[in-house]
Amino acid sequence: MELRVLQYFLAVAREQSISAAAESLHLSQPTLSTQLKAMEEELGKQLLIRGTKGSRRVTLTEEGMLLRKRAEEILNLVHRTEQEIALSDEALIAGDVFIGSGETQTVRLLARTARCLREKYPGIHLHISSGNSIFVLEQLEKGLIDFGLLYTPVDPAKYESVEIPCRDPWGVLMRKDTPLAEKPFIRPEDLWDKPLIFSVQEDAGSALSRWIKRDREKLNIVATYNLLYNASLLVEEGLGYSLCFAGLINTEGSSPLCFRPLEPKLESTAFLAWKKYQVFSKAAEKFIQKLQEVLAKEMPPCRQ
C-alpha cells in the first residue's frame, strides 16, 4: 500500500465525492477511481459505497472508516519523521514536542519548561493534546505524542516516567446558591444523596472512589464528563455537583459557580511518561532534559 494512495483515499473521505477529490488532487476521475479500486482489491475489502447515478456522494464502509483513522495516523507519523530527520543536525535544534495531557494546573510546569527551552532554541514548538488517561495512553502507544501527563500508574515494562512534584487538590464545583456552598469543605457524606457529575475515567478503584466511601451503584451519578469546561456548564445549569481538580474553572467575580475542597484532603500526583527505549527527536530530547533541570531546582508553585 503506497502512502500516495492513502492520501488519495483520505481526500475522497474528506470530500465525500470521487470527482471533487480528483479535482482537489489534480487527477482525472478515472485515474483516481482506478487507484481506489486497486486498493480495495489489495485489501480484499470494500472501502467505499459509491452513490447511484443520481448521486455522486460516497460513504465509507466500516472497513473504510477504520482505514481512514489508520491512514491519518500513518501520514501524521510520516510527516513527523520527515521533520525530525530534516532537523537531526546537532547544529540546528528545532522541531516539535508533542504532549498529551488532561486538564490540570501541572500544565503550567510544562509551559515554563517550554518557555525556558525556547530562550535558547526558539525553533522548538510545543503541542498539547487534551484528553483523559485512556486517550493519552492510546496516543503514546501509537507514537503520536512524545510524552503523556498521567495520573494513573504506567507499566514500567513499557514506559519510563518522572514524577511531577505538584499536587492537584480535589474538590467540588457547584453553584453558589446551593446549600453545600455554605460549607468551607465537603465531606463524603455530604455527597451521598446529591446528583453528581464524575469524570469518565473514575472507576471503583480510583482514589476519589475510595475517598467517597460508597459504592458507585449507591451514588446518584447523573452525568460524566471528559473535559471539565463542559462539566462546568452542566453544573451551571443546575444538573449536579462536579468532582474535579481545583483551579481549572474561574469561580471569581460574577461567576455563578464556587469550588469547595474535600475533607479529608485528597490530592493527586502526575507523572510524565514516555515509551521505553524511545528514540527522541532533538526537540523532545532537549525538552525532557530541561524539564529534569527544572525539577532538580527548587520548584516554584504549580498553582497560582
Side-chain angles (χ1 to χ4, degrees):
M1 188 185 305
E2 297 181 32
L3 295 177
R4 170 177 53 83
V5 181
L6 285 179
Q7 291 174 320
Y8 293 170
F9 172 76
L10 287 177
V12 173
R14 180 187 67 239
E15 301 290 346
Q16 298 182 328
S17 164
I18 293 177
S19 59
E23 183 176 353
S24 70
L25 294 167
H26 305 292
L27 295 173
S28 68
Q29 183 173 335
T31 298
L32 180 56
S33 295
T34 300
Q35 295 281 356
L36 295 172
K37 192 66 178 176
M39 175 185 280
E40 289 178 319
E41 291 174 355
E42 179 183 355
L43 295 174
K45 295 288 184 179
Q46 182 179 359
L47 304 172
L48 301 168
I49 300 174
R50 280 76 171 171
T52 60
K53 289 185 178 180
S55 172
R56 295 184 177 182
R57 182 184 178 90
V58 298
T59 55
L60 301 181
T61 64
E62 184 175 345
E63 292 80 6
M65 288 187 285
L66 174 61
L67 180 61
R68 178 179 185 171
K69 180 180 179 181
R70 295 290 183 252
E72 289 171 343
E73 294 169 357
I74 289 168
L75 293 175
N76 184 37
L77 282 172
V78 169
H79 176 67
R80 285 186 58 192
T81 302
E82 289 173 343
Q83 285 189 318
E84 289 165 4
I85 291 174
L87 297 171
S88 62
D89 190 342
E90 278 287 349
L92 178 62
I93 304 297
D96 300 304
V97 179
F98 296 86
I99 301 177
S101 171
E103 295 173 297
T104 165
Q105 288 285 335
T106 302
V107 171
R108 291 183 181 276
L109 174 64
L110 306 181
R112 285 199 295 272
T113 300
R115 184 197 66 208
C116 294
L117 192 60
R118 279 178 51 81
E119 290 175 359
K120 185 174 182 180
Y121 305 110
I124 290 180
H125 304 279
L126 182 68
H127 304 274
I128 299 286
S129 300
S130 298
N132 61 19
S133 61
I134 297 173
F135 166 82
V136 173
L137 281 171
E138 285 180 349
Q139 295 283 295
L140 267 180
E141 189 62 31
K142 293 172 182 176
L144 299 177
I145 56 177
D146 300 303
F147 308 102
L149 191 65
L150 297 162
Y151 286 86
T152 53
V154 295
D155 183 354
K158 295 179 65 177
Y159 301 101
E160 301 281 358
S161 64
V162 58
E163 181 177 347
I164 306 297
C166 301
R167 302 292 181 266
D168 280 289
W170 283 88
V172 181
L173 187 68
M174 65 188 82
R175 289 180 57 93
K176 290 177 179 176
D177 57 5
T178 60
L180 285 188
E182 299 176 6
K183 294 177 174 287
F185 48 77
I186 305 300
R187 296 183 182 276
E189 56 269 23
D190 295 329
L191 301 175
W192 289 349
D193 62 345
K194 299 295 189 295
L196 304 179
I197 302 171
F198 267 48
S199 166
V200 294
Q201 67 187 52
E202 293 300 325
D203 55 34
S206 70
L208 181 60
S209 295
R210 294 193 299 271
W211 175 88
I212 207 165
K213 299 177 182 177
R214 177 151 292 198
D215 293 340
R216 287 176 65 94
E217 293 75 15
K218 296 180 180 179
L219 296 172
N220 183 20
I221 300 176
V222 297
T224 60
Y225 69 88
N226 186 23
L227 297 176
L228 184 56
Y229 176 74
N230 290 335
S232 74
L233 299 181
L234 302 182
V235 174
E236 191 172 333
E237 291 300 320
L239 185 62
Y241 299 78
S242 178
L243 290 102
C244 58
F245 287 157
L248 298 177
I249 299 296
N250 178 32
T251 58
E252 302 298 326
S254 61
S255 171
L257 304 179
C258 64
F259 181 89
R260 296 292 180 265
L262 303 183
E263 177 63 36
K265 181 186 294 186
L266 178 64
E267 296 180 325
S268 291
T269 300
F271 297 84
L272 193 71
W274 59 93
K275 292 180 78 171
K276 208 164 190 175
Y277 313 119
Q278 178 170 334
V279 178
F280 285 130
S281 67
K282 294 295 182 181
E285 182 180 344
K286 291 297 182 183
F287 181 86
I288 193 62
Q289 288 175 356
K290 177 58 68 174
L291 176 65
Q292 290 169 332
E293 288 176 15
V294 171
L295 294 178
K297 298 177 182 177
E298 183 178 353
M299 281 290 300
C302 292
R303 295 177 292 276
Q304 291 186 337

